[in-house]
Amino acid sequence: MNFSNELYKLLKVPESLGLIHPWIFQQSLIMRFRFGRCKIKKLQEIVIEKIKPEIEERLRQERKFGNNWKPPVDCIQYLLSQPGVDKENPDYVWISGYLLAITFASMSTTVSSTTNFLLDFASRPEYWDDLLEEQEKFNPNDKLTDLDQISKMEKLDSFLKEALRLTGNVFSLIHRVTGSELKFSNGYQLPRGSNVGIYLKNVHYDDERYGPDPNKFDGYRYLGKESPTSKVSRDFLHFGMGRHACPGRIFAINEIKMLSSILIKKYKITTKSKKRPSNFIISGVSFPNPEPLIFEKRVKA
């Protein structure tokens, strides 16, 4: 989490700089990373210190046993097996950078999504009794050990998906133009090397997809529509789409639902203001409002 917190600090570069020229925005990030009081480099040095002996031992085992060596199945081994990796002189900065990026993607986004869910639940009392009843039905003993239990929580899943739709990033899924150019249907062209992202609000707040009032929260919007939170589509891009859709989304969704189910059963959850506080948008990234959540232990009848 230390890495996630430091990375979020880097993102607080004024997005107006990007409107002047993307290069200025990129350089401002680089300058903050190199010369600012950012701890990311120190954290990366700690990771390198931890993984270097492990990688050296694996490469020693591989040289000793050759094809008879059975390597571990994990992220480090995946990176070592990539084309172009020099096993005689491993690039520890590159490997540690990937491991930190994976850590950020797996932990920070799950925490953010869970917080958004809880803020929406805590500020919408009309859903409390209904969702509590569902949790008591499918999680009677507070022991969610069966994924089949979680899959049956259709109301919880629909509520979560709606929370993610309305609180996700505004601008995301950035790709680089690798062909000679990218030509849009309106004739606009982007040259090779351009960075292209998707303005997700055009998708998640589209009245053709979500009706005449797409800004309105409808916790049961997806009930009975065979559209679980884990399903990626042109209407829901929170986890990306196609071959590059988030591979850990099912695991993350189950984590969120397990935690949320237990919290809903054990506590009455409210926001301090009794309203849904708005998220903060920084450089197109949506951050949950830091307004405190109040947890009041339920009294069993």
Side-chain angles (χ1 to χ4, degrees), residues 36-60:
R37 300 179 65 181
C38 177
K39 298 179 181 178
I40 288 181
K41 290 184 70 174
K42 180 62 178 177
L43 293 171
Q44 189 170 26
E45 291 171 0
I46 294 173
V47 173
I48 292 174
E49 182 183 344
K50 297 293 184 182
I51 65 173
K52 190 174 181 179
E54 173 66 21
I55 291 175
E56 289 176 344
E57 175 60 21
R58 292 188 187 192
L59 295 178
R60 190 187 70 80

Side-chain angles (χ1 to χ4, degrees), residues 118-119 121-123 128 263 267-274 291-297:
L118 291 174
L119 286 170
F121 175 80
S123 58
W128 291 352
L263 291 177
Y267 302 98
K268 293 180 180 178
I269 310 171
T270 57
T271 57
K272 187 175 181 180
S273 64
K274 308 300 181 183
E291 179 175 323
L293 285 164
I294 298 172
F295 292 83
E296 180 184 352
K297 196 166 185 178

Side-chain angles (χ1 to χ4, degrees), residues 92-160:
Y92 292 106
V93 173
W94 175 75
I95 295 173
S96 62
Y98 259 93
L99 292 176
L100 285 169
I102 292 170
T103 300
F104 174 77
S106 62
M107 292 179 59
S108 179
T109 52
T110 302
V111 171
S112 178
S113 296
T114 303
T115 304
N116 279 318
F117 171 88
L118 291 174
L119 286 170
D120 273 308
F121 175 80
S123 58
R124 305 182 190 281
E126 64 271 25
Y127 292 96
W128 291 352
D129 291 342
D130 212 15
L131 287 173
L132 175 60
E133 182 180 349
E134 182 183 63
Q135 306 323 300
E136 290 176 337
K137 179 179 179 180
F138 296 114
N139 181 23
N141 301 317
D142 295 336
K143 293 182 180 180
L144 284 170
T145 57
D146 187 351
L147 292 180
D148 186 54
Q149 289 176 272
I150 301 174
S151 66
K152 292 177 180 178
M153 298 174 181
E154 296 180 354
K155 292 180 180 179
L156 183 68
D157 187 87
S158 178
F159 192 99
L160 171 60

Side-chain angles (χ1 to χ4, degrees), residues 169-171 198-206:
N169 294 337
V170 174
F171 181 77
I198 297 177
Y199 184 58
L200 296 179
K201 264 199 166 184
N202 279 351
V203 177
H204 294 159
Y205 289 75
D206 184 7

Side-chain angles (χ1 to χ4, degrees), residues 19-276:
L19 298 176
I20 300 173
H21 196 283
W23 180 87
I24 298 177
F25 180 76
Q26 293 171 3
Q27 289 302 308
S28 65
L29 286 174
I30 293 172
M31 294 295 284
R32 284 170 64 93
F33 179 76
R34 288 183 175 176
F35 306 110
R37 300 179 65 181
C38 177
K39 298 179 181 178
I40 288 181
K41 290 184 70 174
K42 180 62 178 177
L43 293 171
Q44 189 170 26
E45 291 171 0
I46 294 173
V47 173
I48 292 174
E49 182 183 344
K50 297 293 184 182
I51 65 173
K52 190 174 181 179
E54 173 66 21
I55 291 175
E56 289 176 344
E57 175 60 21
R58 292 188 187 192
L59 295 178
R60 190 187 70 80
Q61 293 284 336
E62 185 177 7
R63 287 191 295 268
K64 181 178 180 180
F65 297 105
N67 294 332
N68 293 323
W69 181 61
K70 293 183 179 181
V73 180
D74 57 22
C75 289
I76 291 178
Q77 198 61 38
Y78 169 77
L79 295 171
L80 288 174
S81 64
Q82 293 303 296
V85 170
D86 183 1
K87 293 185 178 181
E88 297 300 322
N89 186 27
D91 187 344
Y92 292 106
V93 173
W94 175 75
I95 295 173
S96 62
Y98 259 93
L99 292 176
L100 285 169
I102 292 170
T103 300
F104 174 77
S106 62
M107 292 179 59
S108 179
T109 52
T110 302
V111 171
S112 178
S113 296
T114 303
T115 304
N116 279 318
F117 171 88
L118 291 174
L119 286 170
D120 273 308
F121 175 80
S123 58
R124 305 182 190 281
E126 64 271 25
Y127 292 96
W128 291 352
D129 291 342
D130 212 15
L131 287 173
L132 175 60
E133 182 180 349
E134 182 183 63
Q135 306 323 300
E136 290 176 337
K137 179 179 179 180
F138 296 114
N139 181 23
N141 301 317
D142 295 336
K143 293 182 180 180
L144 284 170
T145 57
D146 187 351
L147 292 180
D148 186 54
Q149 289 176 272
I150 301 174
S151 66
K152 292 177 180 178
M153 298 174 181
E154 296 180 354
K155 292 180 180 179
L156 183 68
D157 187 87
S158 178
F159 192 99
L160 171 60
K161 186 170 184 176
E162 182 74 343
L164 298 182
R165 178 181 77 87
L166 293 174
T167 59
N169 294 337
V170 174
F171 181 77
S172 188
L173 305 177
I174 299 173
H175 292 72
R176 183 182 294 273
V177 178
T178 57
S180 59
E181 64 182 20
L182 177 63
K183 188 174 183 179
F184 292 90
S185 59
N186 61 1
Y188 191 81
Q189 298 180 18
L190 292 176
R192 179 186 178 92
S194 299
N195 291 320
V196 184
I198 297 177
Y199 184 58
L200 296 179
K201 264 199 166 184
N202 279 351
V203 177
H204 294 159
Y205 289 75
D206 184 7
D207 54 8
E208 292 185 5
R209 292 179 169 91
Y210 292 104
D213 193 5
N215 297 317
K216 182 180 178 181
F217 186 97
D218 180 358
Y220 297 154
R221 183 184 298 275
Y222 302 98
L223 273 183
K225 296 183 179 180
E226 297 184 358
S227 182
T229 309
S230 59
K231 184 178 180 180
V232 295
S233 67
R234 293 181 182 274
D235 298 339
F236 185 70
L237 299 176
H238 187 82
F239 295 102
M241 189 176 171
R243 292 175 59 190
H244 299 287
C246 173
R249 65 186 183 277
I250 297 175
F251 176 76
I253 290 166
N254 284 334
E255 276 187 309
I256 296 170
K257 290 169 69 174
M258 287 175 69
L259 175 60
S260 301
S261 177
I262 293 170
L263 291 177
I264 289 172
K265 281 198 66 182
K266 288 190 173 183
Y267 302 98
K268 293 180 180 178
I269 310 171
T270 57
T271 57
K272 187 175 181 180
S273 64
K274 308 300 181 183
K275 297 179 181 179
R276 195 345 175 156

